[in-house]
Amino acid sequence: QNNVQGASDAGLIPMMYPDYKPVLDPTNHSFFSKFWEKPLNPEKGLTVVEIMDCAHEGTIKGMYIMGENPAMSDPNSSHVREAMAKIDHIVVQEIFLTETAMFADVIFPATAWPEKDGTVTNSNRQIQIGRKALDAPGEAKPDWWILQEVAKRLGLNWDYNHPSDIFSEMKNCMESLDNITWERLESENAVTYPCDAIDEPGHDIIFGNGFPTSTKRGKFVPASIIPPDEMPDLDYPMILTTGRQLEHWHTGAMTRRASVLDDLEPEAVGCMAPLDLEKRGISPGDDIVVSTRRGEIVVTARADSGVPNGVIFVPFCYAESPANMLTNPVLDPFGKIPEFKFCAAQVNLLELPAAE
């Protein structure tokens, strides 16, 4: 995920145009409609969880998924998989056959990082250039090439020959790229935005001379603490939280295919405080059942003194024990972020069937 910042900068947020221009602002809508010479929808789009809810309800009939694995990464993933099973047509553009790709009607094989040219922008606002080092296997193609071929078949006259052409278009509508050219990136490898001149480094600190508002002033708003949607109780007395491991990134689509990394962490674990294990008669290495109001999975118990009492941590990269089957899809009312990190859970020792 070396390009989360770059994707957001370029407008891959459902309520923003490139450079974080709100979709609901008529001035922004007018500018981008003229810039792309197309009438644009004046309403903001849906977040990932909202998209899956609409698919489940039948109001979304098709989906095009690029480099994302919602069958593993979205909360309450049983609900997500039911939604994808209902969709009339799914296209997945990927480098591997992920759990999500199993739901696809069409799969476009895409190129991996060392097989293509392009730029990424990290969270430090460094635009970094990548250069093709290896030929792509089989019929795999760069993402931009695949999208352009689809666009042509939809009657659009897209005519990009190289990622530098796309970068040039971005520069024409994104002030954040001022004084940063493709040639400069080729020469310097990475440039930080914002940048005041073609021969000056970018700013280490953003908004040093004011915020992007009409007054140049920012607005600070005190936020009230909102309690979690689901608190522990007698039926589910523990707290489940999920996340990543050092060895495995996100849904494991790449790292679990790396034999060295998978040898280090080959199986799903549930990390708990030693005292919590002892109270439940569980020893490290035992199989345990982790359950919430949305389902249950089996993982291997691991003692971890870094985990607080009353909490169990489960990585969400294991398809055989998908932690996001258990997580709560309720959204924060403002940020629209699912409550991945907190839900009520129960933990029990796995009971094996009695021998005949």
Side-chain angles (χ1 to χ4, degrees), residues 10-24:
L12 270 74
I13 298 178
M15 62 289 294
M16 299 289 180
Y17 290 124
D19 257 0
Y20 306 95
K21 299 291 194 290
V23 166
L24 296 180

Side-chain angles (χ1 to χ4, degrees), residues 121-192:
T121 306
N122 67 18
S123 297
N124 206 35
R125 308 184 320 282
Q126 290 172 308
I127 303 170
Q128 301 168 303
I129 195 166
R131 300 174 180 85
K132 178 180 174 181
L134 300 169
D135 289 332
E139 297 182 64
K141 300 290 185 183
D143 290 306
W144 69 268
W145 186 93
I146 298 170
L147 288 174
Q148 177 160 280
E149 291 302 308
V150 172
K152 287 178 179 177
R153 286 157 175 77
L154 292 172
L156 301 172
N157 59 343
W158 293 10
D159 189 26
Y160 305 109
N161 295 304
H162 187 267
S164 58
D165 297 338
I166 302 167
F167 187 82
S168 177
E169 179 177 318
M170 292 168 67
K171 278 183 58 64
N172 288 331
C173 67
M174 296 172 62
E175 294 178 5
S176 60
L177 299 181
D178 286 354
N179 299 306
I180 302 174
T181 64
W182 189 269
E183 293 72 25
R184 183 177 179 184
L185 291 169
E186 288 184 318
S187 172
E188 300 180 31
N189 298 318
V191 180
T192 302

Side-chain angles (χ1 to χ4, degrees), residues 72 89 117 145 170 335:
M72 284 285 288
H89 191 70
D117 296 317
W145 186 93
M170 292 168 67

Side-chain angles (χ1 to χ4, degrees), residues 224-272:
S224 300
I225 299 297
I226 301 174
D229 175 70
E230 194 176 87
M231 296 294 289
D233 55 24
L234 292 176
D235 293 326
Y236 298 94
M238 294 196 72
I239 295 166
L240 168 68
T241 189
T242 67
R244 305 177 180 92
Q245 291 173 300
L246 174 64
E247 294 79 8
H248 291 307
W249 174 251
H250 215 57
T251 66
M254 293 187 287
T255 54
R256 294 205 70 201
R257 288 174 167 84
S259 56
V260 171
L261 297 175
D262 206 49
D263 284 346
L264 291 171
E265 286 288 0
E267 62 182 0
V269 294
C271 299
M272 297 172 60

Side-chain angles (χ1 to χ4, degrees), residues 55 90 92 102 200 262:
I90 295 180
V92 168
M102 299 304 174
E200 291 185 15
D262 206 49

